[in-house]
Amino acid sequence: MLTLADIPQADIAALLARYGLDFAPVADGQPIPGSYWGECEAGLIGSSVHARDDTPVHSLLHEAAHLVVLPPERRATVHTDATDSIEEEDAVCVLQALLGDALPGVGAARVLADMDAWGYTFRLGSAAAYVAHDADAAWSWLQQRGLVSPDRRLLPP
């Protein structure tokens, strides 16, 4: 499992900043504010994504993706749980892989593999199969919001 300790924090902060988000590093051993899953999983409060060095990269990208899809006025109200929308959750699973491609040394393939290792479950058996063959509605959802192109590429913010 790739963790934040494995990649430069400056790259994380720069990626989040492109979307108007803040990276809020948390000291080792301290609880992560706004973490839905607890332990080492990333947390959300407003426009900030909180994480420690032992936080999986896919966790940080998943939580950041929840904020990316929200308009700024809705971001301000987020604390811990970003949505109860299945459509948004499905789209965020796709978007977190695309954000992985935007992080040097990470890539979508690694994010998708780590999602499987963490325990995500998909009808087709893997996160990669979901994104490639079963996520048409999620791709459409992201495209309607101007986040991806018709050829399924991440658009700049």
Side-chain angles (χ1 to χ4, degrees), residues 118-155:
W118 187 87
Y120 283 72
T121 56
F122 297 95
R123 278 189 297 233
L124 299 182
S126 73
Y130 166 72
V131 169
H133 305 293
D134 197 30
D136 288 343
W139 285 106
S140 177
W141 195 95
L142 292 167
Q143 188 178 350
Q144 289 168 8
R145 285 154 182 80
L147 295 166
V148 300
S149 66
D151 63 347
R152 297 183 169 184
R153 297 183 189 274
L154 184 64
L155 293 172

Side-chain angles (χ1 to χ4, degrees), residues 81-152:
D81 190 7
T83 189
D84 59 0
S85 163
I86 292 170
E87 294 81 8
E88 180 181 318
E89 191 66 40
D90 291 347
V92 162
C93 287
V94 172
L95 184 56
Q96 78 187 84
L98 296 174
L99 292 172
D101 271 341
L103 270 178
V106 177
R110 179 59 190 259
V111 170
L112 295 167
D114 284 355
M115 290 168 67
D116 292 338
W118 187 87
Y120 283 72
T121 56
F122 297 95
R123 278 189 297 233
L124 299 182
S126 73
Y130 166 72
V131 169
H133 305 293
D134 197 30
D136 288 343
W139 285 106
S140 177
W141 195 95
L142 292 167
Q143 188 178 350
Q144 289 168 8
R145 285 154 182 80
L147 295 166
V148 300
S149 66
D151 63 347
R152 297 183 169 184

